[in-house]
Amino acid sequence: MIAVLALMLFYRPRYVHSAAVPQNSTDRLALIDFKQAITGDPREFFNSWNNSVDYCNWNGVTCSKTHLGRVRELNLAGQSLEGRISPSLGNLTLLKILDLASNSLSGQLPDLNRLRKLQILVLKFNNLQGLAPNALKNCSSLKLLNIGGNMLAGSIPPELGFLYNLSALNLASNSFTGVIPSSLGNITQLEYLFLYNNQLEGNIPTELGQSAKLFQLNLGENRLSGSIPTTLLNHSSLAVLDVNTNFLLMELPSTIGNTLPRLYGLGLNNNMFQRQIPASLGNSSNLSIILLTSNNFTGQVPSSLGNLSLLQRLELSDNQLQGAIP
Ligand SMILES: *[C@@H]1O[C@H](CO)[C@@H](O)[C@H](O)[C@H]1NC(C)=O
Ligand SMILES: *[C@@H]1O[C@H](CO)[C@@H](O)[C@H](O)[C@H]1NC(C)=O
Ligand SMILES: *[C@@H]1O[C@H](CO)[C@@H](O)[C@H](O)[C@H]1NC(C)=O
Ligand SMILES: *[C@@H]1O[C@H](CO)[C@@H](O)[C@H](O)[C@H]1NC(C)=O
Ligand SMILES: *[C@@H]1O[C@H](CO)[C@@H](O)[C@H](O)[C@H]1NC(C)=O
Ligand SMILES: *[C@@H]1O[C@H](CO)[C@@H](O)[C@H](O)[C@H]1NC(C)=O
Ligand SMILES: *[C@@H]1O[C@H](CO)[C@@H](O)[C@H](O)[C@H]1NC(C)=O
Ligand SMILES: *[C@@H]1O[C@H](CO)[C@@H](O)[C@H](O)[C@H]1NC(C)=O
Ligand SMILES: *[C@@H]1O[C@H](CO)[C@@H](O)[C@H](O)[C@H]1NC(C)=O
Ligand SMILES: *[C@@H]1O[C@H](CO)[C@@H](O)[C@H](O)[C@H]1NC(C)=O
Ligand SMILES: *[C@@H]1O[C@H](CO)[C@@H](O)[C@H](O)[C@H]1NC(C)=O
């Protein structure tokens, strides 16, 4: 009996497959640290994170096929986890995908600078409060960064402009203040930029128009002023331009429908746009949604809008328009 007890005390099962799979204890220690910083796990997601299971088989962990024992993907989305994100995640240097979306993680996003292979980082819908300017500076492989729906405050770090390979950047529904950094225009691969529902102010930087692949731009529900720069009104790839609920004051250029040939959705509602609705909009044949409510548009609604065969929503109320709607 005592012998059995002694065996149980000293026998610590480690890796079930330790003979077959070379283990990288750096990655294992980083995961254990990560787990320790989680204070709430109501769905018992971490039950499998124990010594009798190879860490490559822990819930949400996927290891590399070519680099045995190296963690390639961590997916813990929607598990109602509470606590902080351990800085040890920054040691998982082969991580490609990190998805912690829809939990209740709080505190600061730790320094993930060593994750040079990281391509997808999804932290949306948590309670994160801080994003240090250099936390992601060296993550040059990042293609998708989504930190929407957190409690991030302060200004948007201009350093995000170093993430040249980003195709989607979502910082929407936070509490960011200050101006939109012009450096975001340096992200040449950028297709989706979502900054809506923050407290951003100042002008929309002209530089945003430098991102030649820009496809959807949503800057709605902020405190932006001035006008939409011509670089954005003259952008051959732009399909969605949504700047609703700001303090933009301008007259739309008469050529807008010709210089935005791919436009699908135009959201200008709740601003101070003035004068005519340009007839050229009738030339932007993909236009399906036009929201112009609550501005100061005057004159006639151009009959050319009747040429838009894909039009689903046309909202014009609360302006100073005259005549019939085509
Ligand atoms: C794990 O991999 C990292 C990165 O390649 C390396 O620096 C570290 O020495 C490895 N650890 C072990 C225990 O093999
Ligand atoms: C992470 O890496 C740093 C630097 O190499 C090291 O000091 C730290 O102990 C590591 N953390 C874990 C949990 O392995
Ligand atoms: C370890 O995780 C496995 C898989 O979820 C589970 O079957 C086992 O009961 C756990 N062991 C302990 C000691 O919690
Ligand atoms: C980024 O990488 C460079 C080159 O390896 C290094 O010198 C620099 O300290 C890193 N930056 C940060 C903020 O970690
Ligand atoms: C990132 O972009 C740079 C320059 O555009 C390119 O040289 C590099 O290969 C890209 N890196 C990755 C991991 O895609
Ligand atoms: C953006 O690019 C311009 C021109 O290449 C450069 O002067 C500027 O420093 C860059 N800004 C950032 C934040 O990368
Ligand atoms: C739009 O782009 C064309 C061609 O690049 C250029 O000739 C024109 O001046 C631009 N218009 C505006 C308003 O920037
Ligand atoms: C209109 O949209 C379709 C798909 O939605 C796309 O294939 C097509 O290229 C667009 N047309 C223009 C002129 O951008
Ligand atoms: C619409 O496009 C045609 C053909 O490119 C052009 O001749 C016309 O002037 C445009 N209409 C407006 C109002 O810009
Ligand atoms: C609306 O525009 C007219 C003429 O362009 C101007 O006189 C008026 O002050 C504007 N009203 C508002 C509320 O901006
Ligand atoms: C509608 O399109 C037709 C064919 O392109 C064109 O002849 C006509 O002038 C357009 N109508 C308006 C009001 O722009």
Side-chain angles (χ1 to χ4, degrees):
M1 196 59 188
I2 287 166
V4 172
L5 258 181
L7 265 179
M8 285 175 68
L9 279 175
F10 291 106
Y11 176 63
R12 299 230 179 110
R14 287 210 170 254
Y15 318 117
V16 168
H17 305 294
S18 59
V21 181
Q23 301 291 330
N24 184 303
S25 63
T26 307
D27 281 16
R28 188 173 170 277
L29 288 174
L31 290 174
I32 290 172
D33 253 29
F34 175 77
K35 177 186 168 182
Q36 271 162 4
I38 301 294
T39 52
D41 178 14
R43 299 186 187 185
E44 305 189 326
F45 182 84
F46 284 113
N47 273 13
S48 72
W49 289 41
N50 65 51
N51 280 336
S52 54
V53 178
D54 173 1
Y55 67 88
C56 286
N57 293 328
W58 286 353
N59 256 344
V61 177
T62 306
C63 285
S64 164
K65 290 198 170 69
T66 43
H67 299 83
L68 294 179
R70 300 302 315 276
V71 177
R72 194 197 63 191
E73 184 176 339
L74 196 55
N75 183 346
L76 284 69
Q79 301 300 330
S80 310
L81 302 174
E82 288 163 35
R84 292 175 176 254
I85 302 177
S86 163
S88 295
L89 277 192
N91 285 5
L92 298 173
T93 52
L94 286 197
L95 203 60
K96 247 185 178 168
I97 301 177
L98 176 57
D99 188 349
L100 304 175
S102 304
N103 286 293
S104 301
L105 301 170
S106 54
Q108 176 109 357
L109 179 68
D111 188 340
L112 300 178
N113 253 307
R114 297 169 61 208
L115 306 188
R116 290 166 185 276
K117 307 274 185 195
L118 192 64
Q119 292 183 4
I120 297 179
L121 177 56
V122 184
L123 301 165
K124 64 180 174 182
F125 307 131
N126 278 285
N127 303 326
L128 296 173
Q129 285 129 351
L131 174 62
N134 284 329
L136 300 170
K137 198 173 161 191
N138 276 344
C139 300
S140 53
S141 302
L142 263 184
K143 293 188 161 78
L144 189 159
L145 174 57
N146 187 341
I147 325 183
N150 279 280
M151 298 160 67
L152 300 173
S155 43
I156 295 177
E159 288 81 357
L160 292 178
F162 287 116
L163 302 175
Y164 299 120
N165 294 314
L166 269 185
S167 69
L169 175 60
N170 186 343
L171 304 175
S173 300
N174 280 287
S175 302
F176 283 114
T177 52
V179 300
I180 299 174
S182 56
S183 63
L184 298 187
N186 282 1
I187 308 177
T188 50
Q189 302 298 316
L190 201 60
E191 293 174 56
Y192 299 86
L193 179 58
F194 298 142
L195 304 178
Y196 60 86
N197 194 14
N198 280 289
Q199 292 151 39
L200 299 167
E201 58 190 22
N203 291 335
I204 300 172
T206 311
E207 289 83 353
L208 290 187
Q210 291 167 13
S211 304
K213 297 181 175 175
L214 199 61
F215 184 69
Q216 286 198 27
L217 178 64
N218 190 326
L219 307 176
E221 297 169 75
N222 280 292
R223 298 172 182 167
L224 300 168
S225 54
S227 53
I228 304 175
T230 49
T231 51
L232 286 169
L233 293 172
N234 200 4
H235 200 288
S236 59
S237 69
L238 202 60
V240 174
L241 175 60
D242 189 350
V243 294
N244 84 81
T245 319
N246 279 290
F247 300 112
L248 299 171
L249 172 65
M250 71 182 295
E251 179 184 351
L252 291 179
S254 64
T255 53
I256 183 172
N258 305 317
T259 56
L260 290 175
R262 308 200 62 184
L263 209 55
Y264 166 89
L266 179 65
L268 307 179
N269 43 311
N270 300 313
N271 280 286
M272 299 184 286
F273 286 92
Q274 296 187 313
R275 298 182 197 271
Q276 300 279 326
I277 298 174
S280 65
L281 282 177
N283 271 351
S284 196
S285 57
N286 266 2
L287 259 174
S288 305
I289 301 173
I290 304 178
L291 308 178
L292 306 180
T293 305
S294 295
N295 279 288
N296 195 9
F297 286 111
T298 55
Q300 306 275 332
V301 180
S303 58
S304 61
L305 297 188
N307 268 357
L308 294 171
S309 58
L310 301 178
L311 196 60
Q312 298 162 12
R313 284 175 72 191
L314 174 64
E315 298 184 4
L316 301 170
S317 60
D318 201 4
N319 279 290
Q320 298 175 45
L321 296 163
Q322 293 145 18
I325 291 175

